[in-house]
DNA sequence: ATGGTCGGTGGCCGA
C-alpha cells in the first residue's frame, strides 16, 4: 500500500483562504486534504487553481453554511454525500448535505466531517449534534474493518487538557459528558485518534478564537481529529499540527492536522 | 455576565 499524507483543516471559507490552501498543500506535499467550512457552493469551487495544479476536488455545500470538501492529488473515487441535517429539524433544507463527504483516495476511504456545533446546551442544535453523532457512529461501525478515516472538525474537546481553561467552559458545549461520551464511543468501536500520540498535550490545540488574541496567548481548543480504523492506525508514522498556519493575517481560526500513513 | 473578531451576506447570523 502506497504511503499517504492525510490532513484535515477547517478553513473558514475556502474562497477567502485559497492562497493559503494551495501553499499549505505544496509546503507539506499533502496527498489528501479534508476541508471543512468551505462556505461555498460546489459551482463556486472550480475557481480554485487546484485542478490546474493537478488536484481533484469533491465538495458539497451551500453558500455560507458549513460545507465540506476533499482535495486529493492521488485521485478521487466513489464520492458519497452523507449525514445531512435531521429531517424536520427546522434548519432550512439547503443547509442539508453540507456536513459530510466521503471519497476513496489512495486506497483510503476518507470522510470529511463537520460535526454540528451545538451552540448552547439548552439549544435544539445541541440535541441535534448528539443525534448526528449517533447516526454517524452507526454508519461508521460498518466501515471500521476497512481502511477508513473519519476526519474533520468534531466540535468536541474530549479531555480537560483540550481546552485552555476547563473551568471557563464548564457550562458550554464541546466539553459536556454526553458529547465526550459520543466521541469515546467511536474509540470503543475500534477507531483511534491517529495524531494525538505524536502531538501530546497539554496546551496543544487545533483551534483558537479570533478575538482577544487567543492564538497569541495560546488559549485554544483541540477539536479537530483524524480517527482511523485499525488498518490505518497500524500505518501511522507520525503526525503534526501546523500551528504556523494559524499565525498572521488571513489565517483560519483552525490549524491543519497532518498524519503520515506508511 | 458580556464582548471580543472573523466570514458571507444583505441590511445580521453563525462561529
Amino acid at each position: 500500500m502506497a504511503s499517504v499524507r492525510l490532513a484535515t483543516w477547517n478553513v473558514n471559507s475556502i474562497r477567502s483562504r485559497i492562497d493559503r490552501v494551495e501553499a499549505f498543500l505544496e509546503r507539506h506535499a499533502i496527498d489528501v486534504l479534508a476541508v471543512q467550512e468551505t462556505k461555498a457552493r460546489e459551482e463556486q469551487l472550480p475557481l480554485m487553481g487546484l485542478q490546474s495544479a493537478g488536484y481533484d476536488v469533491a465538495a458539497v455545500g451551500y453558500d455560507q453554511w458549513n460545507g465540506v470538501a476533499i482535495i486529493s492529488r492521488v485521485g478521487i473515487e466513489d464520492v458519497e454525500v452523507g449525514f445531512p441535517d435531521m429531517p424536520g429539524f427546522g434548519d432550512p433544507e439547503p443547509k442539508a448535505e453540507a456536513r459530510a463527504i466521503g471519497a476513496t483516495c489512495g486506497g483510503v476511504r476518507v470522510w470529511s466531517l463537520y460535526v454540528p456545533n451545538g451552540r448552547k446546551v439548552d439549544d435544539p442544535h445541541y440535541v441535534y449534534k448528539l443525534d448526528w453523532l449517533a447516526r454517524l457512529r452507526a454508519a461508521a461501525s460498518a466501515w471500521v474493518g476497512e481502511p477508513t478515516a473519519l476526519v474533520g472538525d468534531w466540535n468536541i474537546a474530549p479531555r480537560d487538557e483540550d481546552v485552555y481553561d476547563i473551568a471557563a467552559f464548564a457550562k458550554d458545549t464541546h466539553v459536556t459528558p454526553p458529547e465526550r461520551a459520543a466521541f469515546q464511543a467511536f474509540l470503543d468501536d475500534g477507531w483511534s485518534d491517529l495524531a494525538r500520540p505524536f502531538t501530546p498535550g497539554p496546551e496543544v490545540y487545533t483551534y483558537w478564537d479570533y478575538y482577544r488574541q487567543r492564538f497569541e496567548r495560546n488559549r485554544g481548543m483541540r477539536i479537530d481529529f483524524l480517527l482511523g480504523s485499525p488498518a490505518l492506525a497500524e500505518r501511522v508514522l507520525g503526525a503534526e499540527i501546523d500551528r504556523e498556519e494559524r499565525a498572521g493575517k488571513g489565517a483560519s481560526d483552525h490549524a491543519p492536522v497532518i498524519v503520515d500513513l506508511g
Side-chain angles (χ1 to χ4, degrees):
Chain A
M1 194 67 77
S3 66
V4 175
R5 179 166 286 180
L6 172 64
T8 184
W9 189 11
N10 180 326
V11 295
N12 187 18
S13 169
I14 196 164
R15 285 174 290 166
S16 71
R17 213 75 62 209
I18 188 57
D19 290 347
R20 276 184 177 257
V21 170
E22 292 181 7
F24 168 77
L25 288 165
E26 296 295 321
R27 182 167 73 254
H28 290 280
I30 299 295
D31 293 308
V32 183
L33 173 62
V35 178
Q36 299 86 39
E37 287 207 66
T38 54
K39 298 186 176 179
R41 297 184 299 273
E42 292 96 295
E43 65 267 26
Q44 293 176 306
L45 292 177
L47 65 84
M48 303 183 288
L50 290 173
Q51 279 88 345
S52 57
Y55 295 93
D56 289 336
V57 180
V60 59
Y62 180 84
D63 287 347
Q64 74 268 40
W65 301 116
N66 310 311
V68 287
I70 292 176
I71 299 167
S72 170
R73 64 170 189 177
V74 293
I76 289 183
E77 305 166 41
D78 306 322
V79 176
E80 178 185 359
V81 171
F83 314 107
D85 285 316
M86 299 286 280
F89 177 71
D91 275 341
E93 187 59 26
K95 288 175 70 174
E97 302 184 357
R99 296 185 180 276
I101 191 167
T104 300
C105 310
V108 178
R109 185 65 173 176
V110 177
W111 280 95
S112 178
L113 307 171
Y114 181 72
V115 174
N117 175 284
R119 302 188 185 180
K120 301 288 185 184
V121 293
D122 60 354
D123 192 298
H125 285 83
Y126 175 76
V127 177
Y128 158 58
K129 178 182 193 174
L130 296 176
D131 279 345
W132 195 92
L133 285 162
R135 291 191 304 139
L136 172 64
R137 181 193 178 197
S141 66
W143 315 326
V144 73
E146 302 159 13
T148 308
L150 310 175
V151 313
D153 180 352
W154 287 75
N155 271 315
I156 298 171
R159 303 181 184 179
D160 286 358
E161 69 175 37
D162 296 333
V163 298
Y164 68 86
D165 182 354
I166 188 61
F169 280 85
K171 294 188 185 308
D172 293 335
T173 60
H174 294 60
V175 302
T176 65
E179 289 167 282
R180 287 180 168 178
F183 188 86
Q184 180 63 39
F186 284 87
L187 306 182
D188 294 342
D189 286 346
W191 303 95
S192 56
D193 184 334
L194 302 179
R196 193 188 287 270
F198 297 88
T199 58
E203 300 184 351
V204 172
Y205 309 122
T206 64
Y207 161 82
W208 300 259
D209 244 323
Y210 279 125
Y211 38 72
R212 299 280 292 268
Q213 296 187 300
R214 290 267 170 80
F215 177 70
E216 289 75 7
R217 299 187 295 155
N218 195 31
R219 295 170 78 77
M221 307 173 73
R222 188 199 288 253
I223 56 175
D224 299 271
F225 298 99
L226 301 95
L227 298 193
S229 63
L232 294 188
E234 66 184 17
R235 290 172 55 186
V236 179
L237 300 176
E240 173 191 352
I241 299 168
D242 185 4
R243 206 175 175 286
E244 285 303 301
E245 186 54 62
R246 177 61 180 82
K249 211 163 179 56
S252 169
D253 44 2
H254 293 249
V257 186
I258 306 164
V259 166
D260 268 314
L261 304 171

